[in-house]
Amino acid sequence: MIRSLMLAATLACVAVPALAQPYRDPREAPCLRQRNIYDYQIVPGNRSLVVTDLSRRRYRLNFMGRCYNLQHQFGLAFKSHGVGTLSCIERGDEILMNDPVGPNQCIIQSVEYQTRDLDRADFEAMHDRQDRRDDRRRNY
């Protein structure tokens, strides 16, 4: 009886610090780890990429310039200047693509969380591009 009470007290003491962990503040700097990358989506305009990690958190990687031929890639490689695969992807890191012409790279300018507002802006930009394309086709 005493043993089971001691075991229950020990388990309660171990569980309390785990429950007391604070919720991650969305204002803190985003940390996309190379090892945790699950999927990516191309953003219209070839200036950004939306990357999803294993915990389904979405990040937006903004490039220093346009990153051409992203839509034709089946796999991307991330080159981080940090130590190991647990370092965060940050400004100055690269995305490598295997182009038929030769290797291509895109340098990351910033990393931020992908928000609903950014999703909405991407959606509107995609439809604006489609509308402009349709107008050009009608004018020919």
Side-chain angles (χ1 to χ4, degrees), residues 25-85:
D25 188 8
R27 292 175 299 204
E28 76 182 39
C31 181
L32 173 62
R33 290 187 167 86
Q34 183 176 357
R35 154 175 256 163
N36 294 339
I37 293 175
Y38 176 72
D39 190 21
Y40 66 90
Q41 297 171 339
I42 297 143
V43 176
N46 295 329
R47 292 189 177 272
S48 299
L49 185 72
V50 176
V51 179
T52 307
D53 68 0
L54 291 174
S55 63
R56 303 300 189 256
R57 189 171 290 134
R58 297 173 57 214
Y59 300 88
R60 183 184 191 96
L61 306 178
N62 299 311
F63 304 128
M64 290 201 178
R66 285 192 178 210
C67 193
Y68 295 102
N69 296 329
L70 264 177
Q71 64 273 16
H72 304 296
Q73 300 298 319
F74 294 110
L76 300 175
F78 293 82
K79 181 180 177 186
S80 176
H81 297 292
V83 179
T85 58

